[in-house]
């Protein structure tokens, strides 16, 4: 089925459009809006963005594959990014990742069997002074210890239903409604 | 010595709900904008030049001089692109400005736009920094409602829009031409220079690309006056002016972002500001200004017997006693970079550090230039071998060769940014790589 933005998100897009000199400049903002709704960048999303911005699907796909935040396959209902770069590793990021792998029963890059969590590693998330840290959906959790992880995962499960009910995907980047 | 806090850039950090416009204004916010509008564009540009702000993004180019390179094109508009794609490992200062004092950023953008006759400012923020994006967007809405931007600026016939543009996760987009391509909706691959952005930038139009902290400094330049602001620095005589944000992370007791005059030393940053090394251990190495800057060690002494040498006043002292400035750090063989240091104590394995960093660059190389695309992955694979204990002595030579063959052979500085720290680590800690070969293993953990 063809992808369409909800009227509310379409309005955000239409508000942005005249503020840029070209339509194409909206590629990343529009992909974020679509992913926020759909949870990932499906082939239908690529078609939609290409049509809206009057560029080829190849151009859109080129952008999607270049940037880490665009999910090219379906993710779990919650996405965890553990920062693995130097300051975080120095302060115990590996311990956090291993603890999560054990708790979730999946490796980095995988989604739990129940589809609840996708576990990923991120490159430097600009929180080096609060290492180790992770990003859970769009929230930062800093100065972590492995002991905090259970509470974090539990909180995510609780929040998930509310999010989905409100029309958001777990990977929402620009959840304006929540600001 | 007690840590000196100028409390200029960070003066609102402790204010409750500092990101709201009413709180910003209560602290004197937007008064610099009013003053700037009275001064007029030319005088603003003069003050910024006199302030000797060396670009806070890493390259350290004087902001006022950069502004003077702008070549308006009668057929095109002129743009400002704010670089808030903070992603250099170890760097986390711009994020604090965006989250804790977004209106200071917006006020800086408006003053800069007025000074350069720019009617659209694009602020490119890392897509991961969701809170920063929300706060900046909220700040733009509030400033518009107050009449600080929009159809007029404080009633003056000057139309201005500020667009907060999200990135989507690509370190390379912090490189200015890559940022421009990304802003245009393309893959974030750097462009060949020249033409420089000040002549052909975003959407083919002349564009000034400034780091976010650089522009967030502008309201203070207007408040204090360029020369007075510059003199707050200990390196005013080297035209490296003002105060700036320092970051410190890794094995210190109080990691974080601190404001200080330009030109404090690494020793001051680590001991006076960050409380010293955890467990009072010894420092093994420091990445002084983001991961691309070659490491320094406390035991290395400045060798500058020649009185004309820029480092002569610190001849014979530790590298950690040299004031951190753009030119002083360059003279030391490293770079000031983003002014955010990563401290590693004596339990750290430099083989593991190299592995960590090279994996970063292998992931972040945009793939456009062969030496970087192949070289960064190659260096990462070799570092993995050393870490796994399967490397040979010949691999050490190959690693050195690969790094040297990236240097200077690529369109942008990412390749150099990967090769320089690799070569720096190999030069100072070659023995750890040799030990990994001899013993057939490297330390399992990066640090205790």
């Amino acid at each position: 089925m063809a992808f369409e933005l909800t009227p509310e998100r379409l309005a955000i897009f239409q508000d942005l459009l005249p503020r840029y000199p070209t339509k194409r400049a909206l590629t990343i903002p529009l992909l974020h809006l679509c992913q926020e709704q759909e949870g990932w960048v499906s082939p239908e999303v690529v078609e939609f963005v290409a049509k809206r911005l009057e560029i080829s699907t190849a151009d859109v796909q080129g952008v999607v594959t270049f940037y880490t935040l665009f999910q090219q396959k379906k993710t779990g209902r919650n996405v965890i990014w553990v920062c693995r770069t130097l300051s975080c590793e120095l302060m115990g990021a590996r311990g956090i990742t291993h603890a999560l792998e054990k708790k979730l029963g999946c490796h980095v890059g995988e989604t739990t069997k129940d589809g609840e969590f996708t576990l990923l590693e991120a490159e430097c998330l600009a929180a080096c002074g609060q290492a180790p840290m992770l990003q859970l959906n769009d929230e930062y959790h800093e100065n972590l210890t492995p002991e905090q992880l259970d509470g974090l995962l539990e909180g995510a499960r609780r929040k998930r239903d509310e999010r989905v009910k409100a029309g958001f995907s777990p990977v929402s980047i620009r959840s304006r409604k929540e600001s | 010595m007690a840590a000196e806090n100028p409390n200029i850039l960070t003066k609102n950090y402790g204010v409750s709900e500092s990101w709201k416009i009413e709180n910003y204004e209560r602290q004197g916010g937007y008064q610099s904008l009013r003053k700037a509008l009275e001064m007029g564009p030319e005088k603003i540009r003069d003050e910024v030049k006199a302030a000797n702000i060396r670009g806070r993004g890493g390259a350290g180019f004087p902001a006022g001089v950069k502004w003077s390179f702008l070549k308006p094109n009668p057929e095109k508009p002129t743009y400002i692109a704010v670089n808030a794609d903070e992603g250099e490992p170890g760097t986390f200062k711009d994020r604090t400005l965006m989250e804790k004092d977004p209106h200071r950023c917006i006020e800086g953008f408006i003053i800069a736009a007025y000074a350069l006759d720019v009617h659209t400012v694009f602020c490119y923020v890392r897509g991961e920094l969701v809170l920063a994006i929300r706060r900046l967007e909220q700040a733009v809405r509030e400033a518009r409602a107050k009449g600080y931007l929009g159809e007029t600026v404080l009633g003056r016939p000057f139309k201005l829009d500020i667009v907060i543009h999200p990135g989507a996760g690509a370190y390379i987009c912090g490189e200015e031409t890559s940022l421009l391509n990304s802003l245009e909706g393309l893959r974030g691959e750097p462009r060949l220079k020249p033409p420089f952005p000040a002549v052909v930038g975003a959407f083919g139009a002349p564009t000034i690309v400034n780091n976010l902290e650089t522009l967030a400094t502008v309201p203070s330049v207007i408040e204090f006056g360029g020369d007075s602001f510059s003199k707050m620095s200990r390196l005013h005589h080297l035209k490296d002016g003002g105060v700036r944000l320092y970051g410190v992370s890794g094995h210190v007791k109080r990691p974080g972002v601190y404001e200080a005059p330009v030109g404090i030393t690494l020793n001051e940053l680590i001991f006076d500001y960050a409380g010293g090394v955890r467990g009072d251990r010894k420092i093994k190495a420091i990445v002084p200004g983001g991961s691309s800057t070659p490491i320094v060690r406390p035991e290395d002494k400045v060798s500058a017997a020649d009185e004309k040498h820029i480092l002569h006043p610190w001849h014979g002292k530790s590298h950690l006693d040299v004031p951190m400035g753009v030119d002083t750090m360059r003279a030391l063989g490293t770079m000031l970079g983003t002014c955010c240091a990563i401290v590693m104590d004596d339990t750290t394995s430099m083989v593991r550090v190299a592995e960590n960093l090279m994996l970063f660059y292998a992931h972040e190389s945009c793939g456009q230039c062969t030496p970087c695309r192949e070289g960064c992955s190659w260096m990462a694979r070799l570092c993995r071998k050393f870490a796994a204990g399967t490397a040979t002595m010949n691999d050490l030579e190959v690693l050195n060769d690969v790094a040297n063959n990236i240097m200077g052979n690529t369109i942008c500085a990412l390749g150099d940014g990967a090769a320089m720290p690799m070569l720096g680590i190999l030069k100072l800690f070659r023995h750890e790589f040799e030990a990994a070969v001899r013993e057939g293993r490297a330390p399992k953990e990066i640090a205790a």
Side-chain angles (χ1 to χ4, degrees):
Chain A
M1 214 179 74
F3 175 86
E4 285 297 336
L5 277 179
T6 60
E8 197 187 23
R9 291 196 181 88
L10 192 63
I12 294 173
F13 166 69
Q14 277 161 344
D15 168 60
L16 283 172
L17 202 50
R19 298 171 73 187
Y20 289 85
T22 66
K23 280 191 174 178
R24 186 172 190 160
L26 272 292
T27 307
I28 288 177
L30 184 55
L31 279 167
H32 277 311
L33 281 169
C34 295
Q35 178 163 280
E36 178 184 305
Q37 181 176 319
E38 192 78 344
W40 67 300
V41 181
S42 61
E44 290 77 15
V45 165
V46 172
E47 292 271 353
F48 171 81
V49 171
K51 206 167 148 193
R52 278 281 166 177
L53 302 182
E54 296 167 21
I55 53 179
S56 74
T57 52
D59 285 331
V60 179
Q61 194 64 31
V63 169
V64 172
T65 53
F66 189 86
Y67 297 93
T68 315
L69 290 183
F70 295 129
Q71 301 289 350
Q72 296 171 59
K73 53 184 188 194
K74 280 188 183 168
T75 66
R77 288 180 286 274
N78 294 286
V79 178
I80 303 172
W81 297 89
V82 186
C83 177
R84 63 151 290 277
T85 319
L86 189 55
S87 299
C88 278
E89 193 184 344
L90 285 169
M91 298 304 287
R94 278 197 191 196
I96 300 294
T97 306
H98 289 158
L100 281 169
E101 285 182 326
K102 217 166 156 188
K103 286 180 198 301
L104 298 174
C106 73
H107 293 291
V108 170
E110 295 175 352
T111 299
T112 53
K113 284 206 187 79
D114 60 2
E116 192 67 58
F117 293 100
T118 295
L119 179 61
L120 300 169
E121 277 182 336
E123 297 296 349
C124 191
L125 288 172
C128 318
Q130 297 84 36
M133 61 80 63
L134 60 77
Q135 185 167 17
L136 170 62
N137 303 322
D138 54 16
E139 276 173 14
Y140 276 28
H141 297 272
E142 303 173 324
N143 297 310
L144 284 177
T145 60
E147 292 71 41
Q148 290 167 283
L149 296 174
D150 280 333
L152 222 87
L153 297 178
E154 200 35 58
R157 284 191 186 95
R158 256 200 324 273
K159 267 187 168 174
R160 164 249 306 165
D161 290 338
E162 301 162 24
R163 296 176 70 86
V164 174
K165 218 178 278 171
F168 288 100
S169 94
V171 278
S172 87
I173 297 300
R174 315 183 81 203
S175 318
R176 283 155 203 263
K177 249 187 177 170
E178 298 182 352
S179 64
Chain B
M1 194 161 47
E4 176 188 347
N5 178 6
N7 204 28
I8 292 170
L9 299 174
T10 55
K11 74 169 181 176
N12 299 330
Y13 278 24
V15 173
S16 156
E17 298 192 301
S18 55
W19 53 88
K20 291 189 171 164
I21 196 163
E22 58 267 27
N23 297 329
Y24 182 66
E25 292 194 302
R26 203 170 296 132
Q27 298 292 317
Y30 289 109
Q31 291 306 325
S32 291
L33 172 61
R34 289 182 169 86
K35 192 173 165 188
L37 293 176
E38 294 303 321
M39 287 162 61
E42 199 180 336
K43 184 83 172 61
I44 300 170
R45 294 198 300 268
D46 288 345
E47 293 299 324
V48 170
K49 208 167 200 171
N52 292 314
I53 310 171
R54 307 293 287 263
R56 304 303 197 222
F61 196 81
V65 179
K66 194 185 233 184
W67 284 13
S68 70
F69 290 159
L70 189 66
K71 274 218 172 61
N73 175 344
E75 289 169 17
K76 300 258 185 193
T78 306
Y79 297 116
I80 291 174
V82 184
N83 190 341
D85 193 47
E86 182 165 62
E88 177 79 12
T91 308
F92 53 108
K93 61 177 184 72
D94 292 342
R95 185 184 146 220
T96 63
L97 280 168
M98 292 185 275
E99 290 182 356
K100 293 182 181 165
D101 210 357
H103 279 288
R104 162 177 286 278
C105 308
I106 301 297
E107 187 177 7
F109 303 168
I110 301 172
I111 297 171
Y114 182 67
L116 297 169
D117 197 25
V118 164
H119 300 281
T120 310
V121 174
F122 294 104
C123 180
Y124 187 106
V125 189
R126 269 190 87 161
E128 292 91 335
L129 301 182
V130 182
L131 183 61
I133 291 172
R134 283 185 197 150
R135 293 252 163 99
L136 284 171
E137 285 186 332
Q138 179 65 25
V140 169
R141 282 193 291 271
E142 288 175 343
R144 188 188 302 272
K146 283 263 186 175
Y148 296 151
L149 58 99
E151 290 303 313
T152 62
V153 172
L154 278 169
R156 293 190 185 232
F158 187 86
K159 196 175 170 185
L160 176 64
D161 189 18
I162 296 176
V163 183
I164 309 301
H165 187 94
Y171 166 70
I172 187 60
C173 291
E175 195 279 339
E176 61 177 6
T177 61
S178 161
L179 182 148
L180 296 173
N181 274 344
S182 183
L183 175 63
E184 291 183 17
L186 308 172
R187 292 162 69 88
E189 288 166 353
R191 303 172 180 173
L192 275 169
K193 292 190 273 193
F196 288 91
V199 182
V200 181
F203 309 103
T207 305
I208 288 291
V209 186
N210 278 141
N211 164 264
L212 178 111
E213 184 191 341
T214 302
L215 291 179
T217 302
V218 169
S220 301
V221 170
I222 300 302
E223 181 184 350
F224 296 100
D227 191 54
S228 302
F229 181 79
S230 179
K231 283 178 179 152
M232 294 175 192
S233 159
R234 297 188 197 166
L235 297 175
H236 168 71
H237 61 290
L238 295 176
K239 287 187 171 284
D240 196 342
V243 296
R244 63 184 301 162
L245 300 181
Y246 292 74
V248 53
S249 66
H251 298 150
V252 290
K253 288 178 186 165
R254 293 195 302 270
V257 171
Y258 298 96
E259 181 182 351
V262 167
I264 64 165
T265 67
L266 275 167
N267 263 334
E268 284 176 272
L269 179 62
I270 294 164
F271 291 95
D272 300 343
Y273 290 83
V277 182
R278 62 168 188 179
D280 294 318
R281 302 195 70 94
K282 273 193 185 154
I283 297 171
K284 183 170 199 173
I286 301 165
V287 179
S291 64
S292 300
T293 60
I295 50 172
V296 295
R297 292 186 303 190
E299 64 266 37
D300 292 324
K301 302 282 186 268
V302 177
S303 168
D306 181 354
E307 279 177 22
K308 285 192 194 120
H309 196 288
I310 182 178
L311 296 181
H312 180 70
W314 303 280
H315 178 63
K317 289 192 171 175
S318 163
H319 283 185
L320 275 48
D321 287 322
V322 173
M324 296 167 74
V326 175
D327 302 314
T328 48
M329 295 304 272
R330 192 173 292 149
L332 213 53
T334 180
M335 289 189 307
L336 180 65
T338 59
C339 214
C340 287
I342 306 173
V343 179
M344 295 169 273
D345 72 14
D346 56 2
T347 68
T348 309
S349 158
M350 296 312 289
V351 172
R352 292 280 175 191
V353 169
E355 180 195 23
N356 182 294
L357 290 180
M358 291 310 117
L359 284 170
F360 171 81
Y361 290 103
H363 184 265
E364 298 299 339
S365 172
C366 83
Q368 191 175 205
C369 309
T370 308
C372 173
R373 180 187 64 240
E374 303 301 323
C376 290
S377 300
W378 199 349
M379 291 195 295
R381 284 197 303 275
L382 287 165
C383 286
R384 280 229 140 139
K385 276 177 86 177
F386 282 98
T390 56
T392 63
M393 286 299 175
N394 186 50
D395 286 329
L396 205 47
E397 302 318 313
V398 177
L399 188 51
N400 205 52
D401 259 15
V402 174
N404 272 311
N405 279 302
I406 298 172
M407 289 290 288
N409 290 328
T410 54
I411 289 174
C412 85
L414 189 147
D416 292 359
M420 281 187 301
M422 188 66 247
L423 290 169
I425 291 173
L426 279 180
K427 189 170 137 204
L428 299 181
F429 293 97
R430 190 182 172 93
H431 54 279
E432 292 197 15
F433 290 77
E434 289 170 350
V437 173
R438 253 195 335 269
E439 295 164 22
R441 65 189 171 88
K444 198 160 165 285
E445 298 293 335
I446 196 167

